[in-house]
Amino acid sequence: KQEVTQIPAALSVPEGENLVLNCSFTDSAIYNLQWFRQDPGKGLTSLLLIQSSQREQTSGRLNASLDKSSGRSTLYIAASQPGDSATYLCAVVNDYKLSFGAGTTVTVRA
Amino acid sequence: DAGVTQSPTHLIKTRGQQVTLRCSPKSGHDTVSWYQQALGQGPQFIFQYYEEEERQRGNFPDRFSGHQFPNYSSELNVNALLLGDSALYLCASRLGRLAGIETQYFGPGTRLLVL
């Protein structure tokens, strides 16, 4: 059974600081890994998708890396802004379903 | 493109009742999955529908059932509601033939409260 862990559970940083969010998973037989953003009480917004054959993916201030052999992914958010405050979830895809971590709740202080 | 839509947005039920939640997938998508997200946790996979058949199921009891219609929309039914069924129910859609390649798109969710 796939287990996904996200550390830390919560993070508070001043505006402008870079964010580093970690995700680990136990079964490396994945199709891809996705990072999502969730605002309080809302649905999920896809941020980045990394195919299992890729090492990293970038979109604007966001960069995600994937090391399948060690079962780890890291999401970097450069120059954080108060609007980046949200919960960030990573999910791995195997057997066509998503297995999620519990998320990292980020607060960016103005 | 309306994206994934879900109804209702909020629902309050009492223990023992039954509930039906609805989902319309993103235009062109033929595969619908349902997830349950308890407060403070990540979403948990309930089941997936493709071509009107349940293709995969997570670790949820038979009280949870679903249906997919010819237009690819889907319903999630929960019978004999328990307090522990209180959660945000999320629907996600994708194009089946791009499984593993393309992201899934999530709806805004239905918040269910069981009293």
Side-chain angles (χ1 to χ4, degrees):
Chain A
K1 181 191 171 197
Q2 179 75 266
E3 301 285 345
V4 182
T5 304
Q6 291 188 247
I7 295 173
L11 192 57
S12 178
V13 300
E15 183 177 2
E17 193 164 298
N18 296 332
L19 289 164
V20 180
L21 309 179
N22 297 301
C23 172
S24 62
F25 49 94
T26 55
D27 183 355
S28 62
I30 64 172
Y31 289 106
N32 62 47
L33 183 143
Q34 298 183 235
W35 283 93
F36 291 89
R37 169 184 171 138
Q38 186 173 34
D39 293 293
K42 305 294 185 183
L44 307 181
T45 300
S46 179
L47 298 174
L48 289 169
L49 180 150
I50 312 175
Q51 299 292 345
S52 61
S53 59
Q54 295 177 318
R55 300 282 296 190
E56 68 177 320
Q57 193 66 250
T58 298
S59 176
R61 294 185 295 112
L62 306 180
N63 174 274
S65 66
L66 173 64
D67 184 342
K68 217 173 73 160
S69 61
S70 67
R72 295 178 187 274
S73 176
T74 302
L75 177 66
Y76 301 90
I77 303 177
S80 61
Q81 303 168 358
D84 294 329
S85 298
T87 297
Y88 292 83
L89 295 151
C90 79
V92 296
V93 179
N94 41 13
D95 293 334
Y96 302 107
K97 70 178 184 186
L98 290 165
S99 297
F100 285 87
T104 295
T105 298
V106 171
T107 303
V108 181
R109 308 186 304 271
Chain B
D1 185 358
V4 180
T5 60
Q6 293 186 242
S7 63
T9 56
H10 295 82
L11 206 49
I12 299 175
K13 292 286 188 178
T14 56
R15 280 181 299 173
Q17 285 190 311
Q18 178 264 342
V19 68
T20 298
L21 310 181
R22 295 176 176 81
C23 171
S24 291
K26 182 177 167 65
S27 178
H29 285 184
D30 56 8
T31 303
V32 173
S33 301
W34 287 92
Y35 292 81
Q36 179 196 66
Q37 186 178 24
L39 205 59
Q41 297 181 23
Q44 298 292 316
F45 175 74
I46 303 175
F47 42 53
Q48 182 181 94
Y49 277 85
Y50 174 68
E51 294 187 341
E52 302 179 53
E53 296 286 332
E54 183 183 292
R55 185 157 73 174
Q56 267 197 313
R57 188 179 184 91
N59 189 26
F60 278 80
D62 292 344
R63 297 187 298 109
F64 290 77
S65 63
H67 188 77
Q68 186 178 35
F69 298 94
N71 66 353
Y72 306 122
S73 66
S74 177
E75 288 183 347
L76 165 64
N77 300 292
V78 187
N79 295 321
L81 284 167
L82 304 174
L83 297 180
D85 295 332
S86 296
L88 180 67
Y89 288 84
L90 296 163
C91 171
S93 75
R94 61 172 171 81
L95 192 57
R97 63 179 175 84
L98 296 181
I101 299 174
E102 191 185 67
T103 188
Q104 294 197 41
Y105 293 83
F106 281 79
T110 294
R111 174 73 63 185
L112 172 65
L113 177 61
V114 182
L115 301 175

